[in-house]
């Protein structure tokens, strides 16, 4: 499958990403099959759902003759980091609008972004909350001129198109595909790409993830003109505050690594995987269900 934007530096995404069967007694005894869709292996600099979301945005930016990408994020944002990498590989100037004040020396994420050519600017928290308002956008245009705007987290209609391609890469039967959720963009695209009878289940990485169902519906409505009824969001495995480590999750990650030789990303992916095993233990999935877990990063 080709992508529609030429790179300025060699960039070779590994696509289709590999599909690996995970053999685990706890699942086999529950009559379940689990396959890992290894989007984390797509590319070291732009892995997982980040590449899926950027692919059509880069093509759109190029088609609209933009040379500058501008986006938003917190000081530790992966999205800021990968936008900088995308600029580096695909020949765009990048601007990162960071929440809060500048702290020097830069943390490793922002240092990486700057080393890959990103220009950073900062918005105080009050202005940051209004970042998509016409006033703030006009102020940014005044400061930086023309740019292609990528929303925080990278989720928009073009991003959903990229995520909708994932199910088509899976060349074996499955009933359910699971993914972690932050903004809900990945789940919205993924569900749109499923065949009749298949379902998608998102696991909220955030406490209070009830907003996600509204967001996924909104994303699908905007991108595809309709909301598909084939997805749901599980909000019970957020492990408290976002991006705070918890012993039970750390233990699960270490145990999973020992059993399967795969160290799961603890902010998003481990919570989904924990949730899949917990639901399997409660017999929440019908006997014989073939599940794909999307390893988003
Ligand atoms: C590794 C990983 N998985 C999942 C997500 C959540 O994706 P979404 O915001 O599309 O729900 C993110 C968010 O950036 C992420 O970094």
């Amino acid at each position: 499958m080709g992508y529609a934007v030429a790179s300025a530096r060699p960039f070779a995404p590994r696509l289709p990403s590999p599909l690996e069967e995970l053999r685990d007694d706890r699942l086999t005894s529950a009559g379940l099959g689990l396959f890992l869709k290894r989007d984390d292996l797509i590319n070291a600099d732009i892995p997982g759902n980040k590449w899926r979301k950027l692919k059509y945005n880069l093509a759109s930016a190029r088609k609209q003759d933009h040379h500058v990408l501008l986006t938003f994020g917190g000081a530790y944002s992966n999205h800021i980091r990968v936008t900088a990498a995308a600029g580096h590989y695909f020949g765009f100037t990048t601007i990162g609008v960071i929440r809060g004040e500048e702290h020097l020396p830069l943390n490793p994420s922002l240092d990486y972004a700057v080393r890959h050519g990103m220009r950073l600017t900062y918005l105080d928290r009050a202005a940051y909350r209004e970042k998509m308002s016409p006033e703030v956008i006009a102020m940014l245009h005044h400061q930086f001129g023309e740019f292609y705007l990528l929303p925080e987290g990278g989720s928009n209609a073009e991003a959903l198109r990229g995520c909708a391609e994932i199910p088509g890469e899976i060349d074996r039967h499955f009933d359910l595909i699971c993914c972690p959720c932050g903004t809900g963009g990945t789940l919205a695209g993924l569900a749109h790409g499923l065949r009749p009878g298949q379902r998608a289940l998102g696991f909220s990485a955030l406490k209070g993830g009830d907003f996600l169902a509204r967001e996924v519906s909104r994303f699908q409505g905007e991108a595809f003109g309709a909301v598909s009824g084939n997805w749901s969001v599980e909000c019970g495995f957020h492990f408290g505050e976002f991006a705070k480590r918890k012993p039970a999750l750390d233990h699960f990650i270490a145990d999973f690594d020992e059993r399967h030789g795969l160290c799961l990303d603890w902010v998003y992916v481990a919570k989904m995987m924990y949730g899949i095993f917990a639901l399997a233990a409660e017999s929440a999935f019908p006997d014989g269900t073939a599940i794909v877990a999307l390893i988003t990063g």
Side-chain angles (χ1 to χ4, degrees):
M1 202 177 309
Y3 45 95
V5 58
S7 62
R9 292 186 165 86
F11 181 77
R14 184 172 174 193
L15 289 168
S17 63
L19 187 75
E20 296 170 353
E21 183 166 9
L22 189 89
R23 293 181 189 278
D24 191 303
D25 292 347
R26 295 167 294 177
L27 299 174
T28 358
S29 64
L32 305 171
L34 182 63
F35 300 85
L36 308 185
K37 176 70 172 154
R38 296 291 307 273
D39 268 16
D40 56 316
L41 299 178
I42 289 178
N43 182 265
D45 287 321
I46 314 181
N49 63 346
K50 302 291 182 282
W51 173 247
R52 304 284 184 184
K53 287 182 179 184
L54 278 168
K55 173 182 163 179
Y56 288 112
N57 273 297
L58 297 176
S60 252
R62 183 66 56 77
K63 201 163 155 209
Q64 293 168 34
D65 218 17
H66 281 288
H67 302 284
V68 182
L69 306 176
L70 180 141
T71 197
F72 303 95
Y76 290 90
S77 161
N78 283 332
H79 169 67
I80 288 286
R81 216 184 137 96
V82 297
T83 303
H88 170 81
Y89 283 111
F90 291 89
F92 292 94
T93 298
T94 53
I95 297 164
V97 183
I98 309 301
R99 181 180 58 229
E101 289 157 19
E102 182 180 41
H103 292 284
L104 293 174
L106 295 174
N107 71 41
S109 293
L110 294 183
D111 180 59
Y112 172 98
V114 168
R115 280 189 293 103
H116 286 74
M118 182 173 261
R119 184 166 164 197
L120 302 179
T121 184
Y122 294 82
L123 280 183
D124 66 49
R125 278 160 201 273
Y128 193 87
R129 272 194 292 278
E130 303 300 320
K131 59 188 171 302
M132 294 303 270
S133 69
E135 294 75 20
V136 173
I137 298 295
M139 188 267 287
L140 291 168
H141 276 302
H142 182 70
Q143 207 175 341
F144 298 109
E146 284 302 310
F147 52 73
Y148 183 89
L149 182 68
L150 287 166
E152 185 178 38
S155 292
N156 59 10
E158 300 295 11
L160 264 64
R161 278 179 68 201
C163 295
E165 292 182 344
I166 299 168
E169 282 183 12
I170 302 172
D171 57 3
R172 68 166 329 283
H173 162 81
F174 68 94
D175 305 294
L176 178 72
I177 186 161
C178 298
C179 72
C181 291
T183 63
T186 304
L187 176 62
L190 198 57
H192 180 80
L194 291 175
R195 283 185 280 276
Q198 295 177 323
R199 293 193 58 82
L201 176 61
F203 288 82
S204 175
L206 311 155
K207 195 172 170 182
D210 297 329
F211 77 95
L212 278 166
R214 276 194 310 279
E215 280 299 280
V216 175
S217 300
R218 183 178 68 78
F219 280 133
Q220 285 196 327
E222 282 172 14
F224 309 122
V227 180
S228 63
N230 59 354
W231 55 267
S232 47
V233 183
E234 172 59 61
C235 293
F237 300 100
H238 55 74
F239 285 88
E241 209 175 320
F242 180 67
K244 274 260 160 72
R245 298 204 79 126
K246 286 284 153 59
L249 191 62
D250 282 347
H251 177 264
F252 176 79
I253 292 169
D255 179 64
F256 193 92
D257 195 4
E258 199 161 297
R259 289 172 192 253
H260 301 295
L262 176 62
C263 184
L264 302 170
D265 151 73
W266 61 276
V267 180
Y268 287 100
V269 179
K271 293 177 183 178
M272 165 191 69
M273 198 63 80
Y274 186 104
I276 292 172
F277 278 79
L279 292 176
E282 289 168 18
S283 307
F285 304 116
D287 197 15
T289 304
I291 303 172
V292 173
L294 182 64
I295 309 299
T296 44

